[in-house]
Amino acid sequence: QVQLVESGGGLVQAGGSLRLSCAASGRTFSSYIMGWFRQAPGKERQFVASIRWTGGVTTYGDSVKGRFTISRDNAKNTVYLQMNSLKPEDTAVYYCAAKSALGAPYDYWGQGTQVTVSS
C-alpha cells in the first residue's frame, strides 16, 4: 500500500525557512511525479511544486518561484520542499502527492503538515 508521510512543518517567523519532507513507500516511484500542494483555511488547494522522480524536472507555482525548491533523494525515497523567505501568506497545510503520469490526476496523498508563518 502506498504511503506518503510528510514532516517538517511548524511555526516560523516571516523571512525564515523550513524544510518539509515526504517519505514515500509501498511501490517503486521511479516513473512518478511528486508534488507539493497547500491549502489555507477557507481557500482552495493550491499547487506549490512538482518534480519528476526520474530526471528531476521541476515546476513551481507562481507564488513560490524563487523562494521554494523541490528536490528528491532517490536512495531515501524522499521528496523535500525547502521553503525560504517565508511570508504569512504561506501559512497553510502542506500536502505531498504522487501521480503516475503527466496528464493523470494525483493518485496518492499524504496527511498534511501544518506550516504557520507569523508576521
Side-chain angles (χ1 to χ4, degrees):
Q1 183 173 348
V2 173
Q3 276 196 317
L4 303 176
V5 180
E6 302 99 332
S7 61
L11 174 64
V12 63
Q13 287 188 332
S17 298
L18 279 175
R19 189 178 79 158
L20 305 183
S21 300
C22 172
S25 63
R27 67 161 299 127
T28 302
F29 289 92
S30 58
S31 63
Y32 269 57
I33 298 163
M34 306 297 293
W36 284 99
F37 291 78
R38 67 187 183 186
Q39 189 165 20
K43 295 189 177 181
E44 293 187 353
R45 186 175 291 173
Q46 180 185 40
F47 170 76
V48 175
S50 67
I51 186 167
R52 296 187 197 181
W53 205 281
T54 299
V57 176
T58 59
T59 56
Y60 294 93
D62 288 341
S63 60
V64 306
K65 281 180 183 176
R67 300 188 298 123
F68 290 12
T69 302
I70 188 170
S71 62
R72 86 269 190 244
D73 184 326
N74 291 345
K76 295 182 178 180
N77 246 24
T78 299
V79 176
Y80 302 98
L81 185 69
Q82 177 67 44
M83 305 185 295
N84 298 329
S85 302
L86 282 161
K87 306 174 182 180
E89 51 264 42
D90 293 318
T91 295
V93 177
Y94 283 70
Y95 297 91
C96 177
K99 64 178 180 178
S100 59
L102 271 176
Y106 281 87
D107 300 314
Y108 305 105
W109 293 85
Q111 83 287 352
T113 185
Q114 176 71 46
V115 171
T116 303
V117 184
S118 63
S119 57

